[in-house]
């Protein structure tokens, strides 16, 4: 990412001690997450809302510069036909789409406290919040997810020319990582 974006400032959020700016309500949601993936979801939304920029998980490989995605409108991409994925997300600080999302997060997550992070704080929540908004750009799966989690055997490329990145679907929140499938999805 740094080689493709030499003029960008990169910040790694690696310690929960650096989150003193987070609201007590969001910090509570962060603290009762059972997985690092759930915690990363809370942090990604809060960081983007407060500081703006582009948040990218560590299992994402950049393929080309993101600069032309930065036109002021928040963006994310569909991981498939049904779910938006917050693994790569960008917005200006204080954008209403992020503010609304953070207002909804505590209630949604609390009602799903025993569910895995993809249901509690991740794609299911994110899709519910952004899928019908008109003030965000929802990009095609090929943008960041040219390889689906069900087809990891295709990782390594070649990737479509229109892809900006590829998510490697490490799924560290699953005990044994994501399931491995063959090309037919079995």
């Amino acid at each position: 990412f740094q080689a493709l974006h030499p003029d960008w400032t990169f910040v790694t959020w690696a310690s929960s001690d650096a989150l003193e700016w987070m609201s007590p309500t969001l910090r509570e949601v962060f603290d009762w997450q059972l997985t690092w993936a759930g915690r990363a979801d809370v942090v990604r939304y809060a960081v983007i809302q407060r500081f703006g920029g582009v948040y990218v998980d560590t299992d994402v490989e950049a393929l080309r510069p993101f600069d032309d995605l930065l036109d002021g409108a928040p963006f994310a991409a569909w991981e498939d036909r049904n779910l938006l994925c917050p693994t790569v997300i960008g917005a200006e600080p204080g954008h209403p789409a992020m503010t609304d999302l953070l207002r909804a997060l505590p209630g949604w997550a609390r009602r799903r406290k025993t569910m895995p992070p993809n249901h509690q704080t991740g794609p299911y929540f994110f899709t519910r919040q952004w899928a019908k908004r008109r003030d965000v750009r929802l990009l095609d799966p090929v943008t960041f997810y040219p390889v689906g989690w069900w087809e990891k055997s295709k990782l390594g490329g070649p990737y479509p020319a229109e892809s900006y990145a590829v998510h490697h679907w490490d799924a560290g929140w699953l005990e044994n990582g994501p399931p491995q499938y063959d090309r037919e999805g079995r």
Side-chain angles (χ1 to χ4, degrees):
F1 270 93
Q2 290 176 325
L4 290 172
H5 304 91
D7 299 328
W8 287 22
T9 299
F10 287 80
V11 178
T12 300
W13 295 90
S15 170
S16 59
D17 295 336
L19 302 175
E20 70 280 346
W21 51 266
M22 191 182 286
S23 76
T25 303
L26 285 179
R27 183 56 195 236
E28 179 184 347
V29 175
F30 175 89
D31 287 339
W32 51 255
Q33 292 303 303
L34 300 176
T35 66
W36 287 109
R39 289 181 175 171
D41 288 334
V42 175
V43 169
R44 94 179 69 239
Y45 303 141
V47 164
I48 292 295
Q49 196 280 334
R50 181 172 176 113
F51 301 103
V54 177
Y55 185 101
V56 180
D57 277 356
T58 59
D59 63 343
V60 174
E61 174 187 358
L63 301 175
R64 65 184 178 124
F66 283 29
D67 298 303
D68 58 335
L69 295 174
L70 306 177
D71 67 358
F75 66 86
W78 294 95
E79 72 176 62
D80 59 26
R81 293 180 313 210
N82 302 308
L83 287 174
L84 287 168
C85 188
T87 296
V88 179
I89 180 175
E92 297 289 327
H95 193 279
M98 295 307 301
T99 301
D100 293 346
L101 182 142
L102 285 173
R103 266 193 216 114
L105 179 61
W108 173 280
R110 196 170 287 112
R111 289 188 302 276
R112 292 157 181 81
K113 207 168 185 176
T114 61
M115 292 182 163
N118 58 330
H119 287 272
Q120 188 184 120
T121 56
Y124 288 88
F125 166 72
F126 189 58
T127 301
R128 177 70 178 236
Q129 296 304 308
W130 274 29
K132 296 189 189 287
R133 289 191 74 105
R134 295 181 181 267
D135 59 346
V136 299
R137 250 183 331 153
L138 304 180
L139 306 166
D140 290 331
V142 71
T143 309
F144 306 129
Y145 313 109
V147 174
W149 59 266
W150 60 91
E151 53 188 4
K152 285 185 64 168
S153 63
K154 295 180 181 178
L155 288 171
Y159 304 116
E162 61 266 35
S163 296
Y164 286 81
V166 60
H167 186 198
H168 285 257
W169 305 103
D170 285 342
W173 55 276
L174 292 173
E175 188 174 323
N176 297 312
Q180 298 297 313
Y181 293 94
D182 63 22
R183 291 194 185 272
E184 284 74 44
R186 292 177 276 164

